Coordinates of all heavy atoms in Angstrom, one line a residue:
F55 N 39.7 80.5 115.2 CA 40.2 81.8 114.7 C 40.5 81.7 113.1 O 40.7 82.8 112.5 CB 41.6 82.2 115.3 CG 42.7 81.2 115.1 CD1 43.6 81.4 114.1 CD2 42.8 80.0 115.9 CE1 44.6 80.5 113.9 CE2 43.9 79.1 115.7 CZ 44.8 79.4 114.6
L56 N 40.5 80.5 112.6 CA 40.7 80.4 111.2 C 39.4 80.4 110.3 O 39.5 80.5 109.1 CB 41.4 79.0 110.9 CG 42.8 78.8 111.4 CD1 43.3 77.4 111.1 CD2 43.7 79.8 110.7
K57 N 38.2 80.4 111.1 CA 37.0 80.3 110.4 C 36.7 81.5 109.3 O 36.2 81.2 108.2 CB 35.8 80.3 111.3 CG 34.5 80.1 110.7 CD 33.4 79.6 111.7 CE 33.7 78.1 112.1 NZ 32.6 77.6 112.9
P58 N 37.2 82.7 109.6 CA 36.9 83.8 108.6 C 37.6 83.5 107.3 O 37.1 84.1 106.2 CB 37.6 85.0 109.3 CG 37.5 84.7 110.8 CD 37.7 83.2 110.9
F59 N 38.6 82.6 107.2 CA 39.2 82.3 105.9 C 38.2 81.6 105.0 O 38.5 81.5 103.7 CB 40.4 81.4 106.1 CG 41.6 82.2 106.5 CD1 42.0 82.3 107.8 CD2 42.4 82.8 105.5 CE1 43.1 83.0 108.2 CE2 43.6 83.5 105.9 CZ 43.9 83.6 107.3
V60 N 37.1 81.1 105.5 CA 36.1 80.5 104.7 C 35.5 81.4 103.5 O 35.1 81.0 102.5 CB 34.9 79.9 105.5 CG1 34.0 81.0 106.0 CG2 34.1 78.9 104.7
N61 N 35.6 82.7 103.9 CA 35.1 83.7 102.9 C 35.9 83.8 101.6 O 35.4 84.2 100.6 CB 35.0 85.1 103.6 CG 34.0 85.1 104.7 OD1 32.9 84.8 104.6 ND2 34.5 85.6 105.9
F62 N 37.2 83.3 101.7 CA 38.0 83.3 100.5 C 37.5 82.4 99.4 O 37.8 82.5 98.3 CB 39.5 83.0 100.9 CG 40.2 84.2 101.4 CD1 40.3 84.3 102.8 CD2 40.8 85.0 100.6 CE1 41.0 85.5 103.3 CE2 41.5 86.1 101.1 CZ 41.6 86.3 102.5
F63 N 36.7 81.4 99.8 CA 36.1 80.5 98.8 C 35.3 81.2 97.8 O 35.1 80.8 96.7 CB 35.3 79.4 99.4 CG 36.1 78.3 100.1 CD1 35.9 77.9 101.4 CD2 37.0 77.5 99.3 CE1 36.7 76.9 101.9 CE2 37.7 76.5 99.8 CZ 37.6 76.1 101.2
L64 N 34.8 82.4 98.2 CA 33.9 83.2 97.3 C 34.7 83.7 96.0 O 34.1 83.9 95.0 CB 33.4 84.4 98.0 CG 32.4 84.1 99.2 CD1 32.0 85.4 99.9 CD2 31.1 83.4 98.6
F65 N 36.0 83.8 96.2 CA 36.8 84.2 95.0 C 36.8 83.2 93.9 O 37.1 83.5 92.8 CB 38.3 84.4 95.4 CG 38.5 85.7 96.2 CD1 38.7 85.7 97.5 CD2 38.4 86.9 95.5 CE1 38.9 86.9 98.2 CE2 38.6 88.2 96.1 CZ 38.8 88.2 97.5
G66 N 36.4 81.9 94.2 CA 36.2 80.9 93.2 C 35.1 81.2 92.2 O 35.0 80.6 91.2
L67 N 34.2 82.1 92.7 CA 33.1 82.5 91.8 C 33.4 83.6 90.9 O 32.6 84.1 90.1 CB 31.9 82.9 92.7 CG 31.3 81.9 93.7 CD1 30.3 82.5 94.5 CD2 30.7 80.7 92.8
W68 N 34.7 84.1 90.9 CA 35.1 85.2 90.0 C 34.8 84.9 88.5 O 34.3 85.8 87.9 CB 36.6 85.5 90.2 CG 37.1 86.7 89.4 CD1 37.8 86.6 88.3 CD2 36.8 88.1 89.5 NE1 38.1 87.8 87.7 CE2 37.4 88.7 88.5 CE3 36.0 88.8 90.5 CZ2 37.4 90.1 88.4 CZ3 36.0 90.1 90.3 CH2 36.6 90.8 89.3
P69 N 35.2 83.8 87.9 CA 34.9 83.6 86.6 C 33.4 83.7 86.3 O 33.0 84.2 85.2 CB 35.4 82.1 86.3 CG 36.5 81.9 87.3 CD 36.0 82.6 88.5
F70 N 32.6 83.2 87.2 CA 31.1 83.3 87.0 C 30.7 84.7 87.0 O 29.8 85.1 86.3 CB 30.4 82.5 88.1 CG 28.9 82.6 88.1 CD1 28.2 81.8 87.3 CD2 28.3 83.5 89.0 CE1 26.8 81.9 87.3 CE2 26.9 83.6 89.0 CZ 26.2 82.8 88.2
A71 N 31.3 85.5 88.0 CA 30.9 86.9 88.1 C 31.2 87.7 86.9 O 30.5 88.5 86.4 CB 31.5 87.5 89.4
T72 N 32.4 87.4 86.3 CA 32.8 88.1 85.1 C 31.9 87.8 83.9 O 31.6 88.7 83.1 CB 34.3 87.8 84.7 OG1 34.4 86.4 84.5 CG2 35.2 88.2 85.8
M73 N 31.4 86.6 83.8 CA 30.5 86.2 82.7 C 29.2 86.9 83.0 O 28.6 87.4 82.0 CB 30.3 84.7 82.6 CG 31.5 84.0 82.0 SD 31.2 82.2 81.8 CE 31.2 81.6 83.5
L74 N 28.7 87.0 84.2 CA 27.5 87.7 84.5 C 27.5 89.1 84.2 O 26.6 89.7 83.6 CB 27.1 87.5 86.0 CG 25.8 88.0 86.5 CD1 24.6 87.5 85.7 CD2 25.7 87.8 88.0

Side-chain angles (χ1 to χ4, degrees):
F55 66 95
L56 294 175
K57 185 163 289 188
F59 280 95
V60 73
N61 294 307
F62 279 94
F63 282 123
L64 294 174
F65 284 106
L67 299 175
W68 179 255
F70 175 81
T72 59
M73 286 187 288
L74 181 61

